[in-house]
């Protein structure tokens, strides 16, 4: 979403993305947390879905209990910090989180949802609305200089 430099909205976007980046770095994982599927399936083998967040950004208690990265959240950051978002997405692609239809829904790092030998689980699904949100920043990022730098 276009914004005006030095506006409250612009400052909010930037500080939110910076907090996401810091949290990912501190946890040793890619960054980008939002609501998504996670590594629990119901009786019909359908991944479950809920809101996740970065402690200190979200108002919900217990956000630190879960660590689920949603690549579409990084794609949305292309509009705010294109270079950082591009690097994060490239790293996720290099790590194998890109499937036939785009980035997988999520990567779940929550220890209680992993087997002993796993460090993460890829939520191997594709939600149309998250794929669509991932596409929306690309035209603006392309027209303003794709992944060449940010202020």
């Amino acid at each position: 979403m276009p914004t005006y430099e030095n506006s409250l909205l612009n400052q909010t976007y930037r500080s939110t993305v910076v907090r996401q980046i810091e949290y990912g770095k501190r946890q040793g994982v890619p960054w980008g947390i939002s609501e998504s599927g996670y590594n629990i399936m119901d009786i019909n083998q359908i991944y479950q879905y809920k809101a996740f967040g970065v402690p200190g950004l979200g108002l919900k208690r217990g956000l630190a209990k879960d660590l689920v990265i949603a690549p579409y959240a990084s794609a949305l950051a292309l509009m705010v910090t294109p270079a950082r978002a591009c690097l994060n997405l490239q790293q996720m692609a290099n790590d194998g989180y890109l499937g036939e239809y785009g980035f997988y829904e999520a990567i779940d790092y929550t220890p209680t949802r992993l087997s002993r030998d796993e460090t993460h689980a890829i939520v191997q699904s594709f939600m149309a609305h998250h794929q669509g949100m991932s596409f929306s920043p690309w035209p603006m990022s392309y027209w303003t200089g794709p992944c060449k730098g940010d202020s």
Side-chain angles (χ1 to χ4, degrees):
M1 181 163 120
T3 184
Y4 296 98
E5 198 65 34
N6 299 320
S7 68
L8 184 56
L9 195 56
N10 184 272
Q11 290 174 9
T12 301
Y13 290 160
R14 290 191 178 281
S15 62
T16 299
V17 172
V18 166
R19 180 71 180 107
Q20 289 257 2
I21 293 168
E22 289 170 351
Y23 188 69
K25 184 182 254 184
R26 193 173 58 203
Q27 298 299 318
V29 300
W31 56 271
I33 297 178
S34 190
E35 62 184 30
S36 68
Y38 59 102
N39 192 35
I40 293 286
M41 290 188 184
D42 67 14
I43 196 166
N44 297 312
Q45 296 296 295
I46 297 171
Y47 286 110
Q48 298 303 287
Y49 185 95
K50 73 176 186 176
F52 298 100
V54 174
L57 281 180
L59 299 176
K60 181 179 170 185
R61 292 179 192 213
L63 291 175
K65 292 188 312 184
D66 296 298
L67 186 54
V68 180
I69 305 303
Y72 81 90
S74 291
L76 287 170
L78 284 165
M79 296 181 286
V80 180
T81 56
R84 290 177 178 170
C86 205
L87 286 172
N88 195 48
L89 291 166
Q90 288 170 343
Q91 185 61 54
M92 284 192 262
N94 292 341
D95 289 345
Y97 307 147
L98 193 57
E100 185 175 355
Y101 304 109
F103 281 100
Y104 289 112
E105 172 65 10
I107 306 94
D108 194 340
Y109 292 91
T110 310
T112 56
R113 291 193 287 269
L114 302 173
S115 64
R116 287 183 200 161
D117 60 335
E118 290 181 311
T119 58
H120 64 277
I122 299 173
V123 178
Q124 295 186 20
S125 66
F126 303 92
M127 293 200 168
H129 66 291
H130 291 164
Q131 295 296 320
M133 284 190 273
S134 295
F135 292 142
S136 64
W138 289 105
M140 185 183 352
S141 181
Y142 177 77
W143 290 322
T144 60
C147 303
K148 291 181 182 170
D150 51 339
S151 52

